[in-house]
Amino acid sequence: MNVLFFSAKSYDESFFTAANHRFQHRLKFLETRLTRDSVNLISDENALCVFVNDTLDRPMLSELKNRGIRIIALRCAGHDNVDLAAAAEYHIAVVNVPSYSPNAVAEHTVCLMLALNRKIHRAYSRVREGNFSLEGLIGFDFAGKTAGIIGTGRIGSIVARILLAFGMKVLAYDIQHSPACEALGVQYVEKNDLFTEADVISLHCPLTDKTRRMIDAQAIARMKNQVMLINTSRGAVLDTCAVITALKQKKIGYLGLDVYEHERDLFFRDRSCEIIQDDLFERLLSFPNVLVTGHQGFFTTEAMQNIASTTLQSLSAFENEQPLPHALHP
Ligand code: NAI
């Protein structure tokens, strides 16, 4: 197929080009995001490959239909940025890569927890400056503490397994219980009980109408003082303003984010020479007990290889009118 990539980085180009030797699609890579303006860059392509911050709302999908796009391949798992009902109406197929390496995101999640606890982000700078003081760097043992996992799917269940191995008690809240997690020793509880009992809370549910701003002022008020909160799912599962208030009040003791509500206008680009205009984000960065990474949880070699081969495989299946195992429906 003729595939046009939006939001493509050099690493996308190298992993997809390598994987495409097997598939022989015609790939064209654009660094720009898909927007009302950049949509004009579509010429003879019949397939688009997009990423987490490309918005595919109803007007955009209508435009893509008129331009002859027949399939949209999301090179990610989350699909909250696509109006699937509109896509179905316009007969545009949508596929994603539901599981490329849940280990990658789970390991990054635990990395944020450990780094925040032992203040590795601060210790790194201190030692480089010849400051070997331990003042303010004290951490706590994870062993014996209680973790609360919200969403025990592919990623959350691996986080649960790792934290159990640390000797933590692991509570979980999910609309669907996983017998495999229960067999490991995970205890399902009501959401409010998880908020009340957990020392460390980690979010692994998708962004839906039900989960949007699930962590708001009320939820935070139920949490333990000095709770550690980690979000590697989607930014809007947290109410960022409420979280900032709780950080100022010293209610939240540690915050680790790999995703941010308004990341669309920030992440995946070098902005080190720019003046960042997002005051909410800058306020987050001003806290010593906040660690933010720029949506890199998925970013391992294994995950990138899986993303590229699964996406190209879906495009070949579509071209050959075969079933699409990763098709998304409204
Ligand atoms: P999954 O679909 O395997 O698991 C999601 C779990 O959340 C399921 O068990 C589901 O029942 C549960 N859930 C759904 N609605 C819920 C609700 N209202 N309350 C509680 N639980 C609910 O998804 P997976 O692969 O584990 O990914 C989780 C999320 O992680 C994705 O939706 C995506 O947003 C995010 N993600 C982030 C990445 C990163 O680089 N930071 C990379 C990949 C995914």
Side-chain angles (χ1 to χ4, degrees), residues 100 105 153-155 174-175 204 206 211 232-234 258 295 298:
Y100 36 88
V105 187
R154 282 172 287 249
I155 297 169
D174 195 309
I175 48 174
H204 302 287
T211 63
T232 61
S233 64
R234 283 292 179 267
D258 187 47
H295 207 142
F298 71 99

Side-chain angles (χ1 to χ4, degrees), residues 110 142-145 147 149 156-171 180-187:
V110 177
F142 276 109
K145 299 291 185 306
I149 310 279
S157 59
I158 297 173
V159 173
R161 183 156 45 77
I162 297 172
L163 298 184
L164 284 165
F166 282 173
M168 297 184 85
K169 176 177 171 185
V170 178
L171 305 177
C181 279
E182 284 173 322
L184 286 173
V186 173
Q187 296 169 38

Side-chain angles (χ1 to χ4, degrees), residues 189-259:
V189 293
E190 287 306 315
K191 190 165 50 184
N192 286 341
D193 294 334
L194 183 148
F195 290 152
T196 318
E197 289 178 43
D199 301 290
V200 177
I201 297 178
S202 195
L203 308 176
H204 302 287
C205 53
L207 177 63
T208 64
D209 290 343
K210 293 249 162 55
T211 63
R212 187 176 296 276
R213 306 241 159 132
M214 176 194 268
I215 306 300
D216 58 7
Q218 265 190 322
I220 295 168
R222 292 181 192 277
M223 293 176 193
K224 283 190 177 174
N225 288 335
Q226 292 296 298
V227 63
M228 178 185 286
L229 193 56
I230 307 287
N231 188 13
T232 61
S233 64
R234 283 292 179 267
V237 177
L238 283 184
D239 177 344
T240 310
C241 288
V243 163
I244 287 174
T245 305
L247 281 162
K248 286 166 77 178
Q249 293 167 342
K250 302 184 186 167
K251 172 80 181 175
I252 293 178
Y254 312 78
L255 177 70
L257 302 179
D258 187 47
V259 287

Side-chain angles (χ1 to χ4, degrees), residues 17-278:
T17 304
N20 195 38
H21 286 137
R22 209 150 53 88
F23 299 98
Q24 297 297 315
H25 294 291
R26 285 160 303 282
L27 311 182
K28 191 167 153 193
F29 298 90
L30 297 177
E31 202 179 337
T32 176
R33 250 172 49 202
L34 176 61
T35 63
R36 305 276 172 263
D37 292 328
S38 66
V39 76
N40 292 315
L41 296 168
I42 297 173
S43 54
D44 60 344
E45 290 85 10
N46 48 10
L48 293 190
C49 184
V50 298
F51 197 48
V52 289
N53 290 326
D54 292 305
T55 304
L56 292 119
D57 54 12
R58 182 173 282 276
M60 176 60 80
L61 288 159
S62 162
E63 179 70 33
L64 295 179
K65 173 72 184 166
N66 294 336
R67 289 175 181 268
I69 296 299
R70 297 170 55 216
I71 179 164
I72 293 164
L74 297 165
R75 50 180 191 281
C76 54
H79 49 80
D80 46 89
N81 52 333
V82 185
D83 184 336
L84 292 177
E89 231 173 87
Y90 297 131
H91 303 289
I92 300 175
V94 183
V95 290
N96 71 341
V97 187
S99 179
Y100 36 88
S101 176
N103 293 301
V105 187
E107 289 168 15
H108 189 72
T109 304
V110 177
C111 175
L112 286 175
M113 290 176 187
L114 291 170
L116 273 167
N117 175 15
R118 305 307 295 268
K119 303 172 176 68
I120 300 298
H121 52 307
R122 304 186 64 204
Y124 171 80
S125 314
R126 273 195 199 183
V127 169
R128 283 175 70 94
E129 285 172 14
N131 175 357
F132 303 103
S133 160
L134 300 184
E135 294 295 337
L137 296 186
I138 196 156
F140 61 86
D141 288 7
F142 276 109
K145 299 291 185 306
T146 300
I149 310 279
I150 300 191
T152 51
R154 282 172 287 249
I155 297 169
S157 59
I158 297 173
V159 173
R161 183 156 45 77
I162 297 172
L163 298 184
L164 284 165
F166 282 173
M168 297 184 85
K169 176 177 171 185
V170 178
L171 305 177
Y173 169 73
D174 195 309
I175 48 174
Q176 265 185 317
H177 291 197
S178 150
C181 279
E182 284 173 322
L184 286 173
V186 173
Q187 296 169 38
Y188 283 93
V189 293
E190 287 306 315
K191 190 165 50 184
N192 286 341
D193 294 334
L194 183 148
F195 290 152
T196 318
E197 289 178 43
D199 301 290
V200 177
I201 297 178
S202 195
L203 308 176
H204 302 287
C205 53
L207 177 63
T208 64
D209 290 343
K210 293 249 162 55
T211 63
R212 187 176 296 276
R213 306 241 159 132
M214 176 194 268
I215 306 300
D216 58 7
Q218 265 190 322
I220 295 168
R222 292 181 192 277
M223 293 176 193
K224 283 190 177 174
N225 288 335
Q226 292 296 298
V227 63
M228 178 185 286
L229 193 56
I230 307 287
N231 188 13
T232 61
S233 64
R234 283 292 179 267
V237 177
L238 283 184
D239 177 344
T240 310
C241 288
V243 163
I244 287 174
T245 305
L247 281 162
K248 286 166 77 178
Q249 293 167 342
K250 302 184 186 167
K251 172 80 181 175
I252 293 178
Y254 312 78
L255 177 70
L257 302 179
D258 187 47
V259 287
Y260 167 61
E261 235 180 317
H262 310 296
E263 69 177 52
R264 182 163 294 143
D265 299 320
L266 270 182
F267 283 10
F268 302 118
R269 297 196 51 179
D270 179 358
R271 299 189 189 277
S272 53
C273 294
E274 293 176 22
I275 306 294
I276 306 270
Q277 298 295 326
D278 185 331

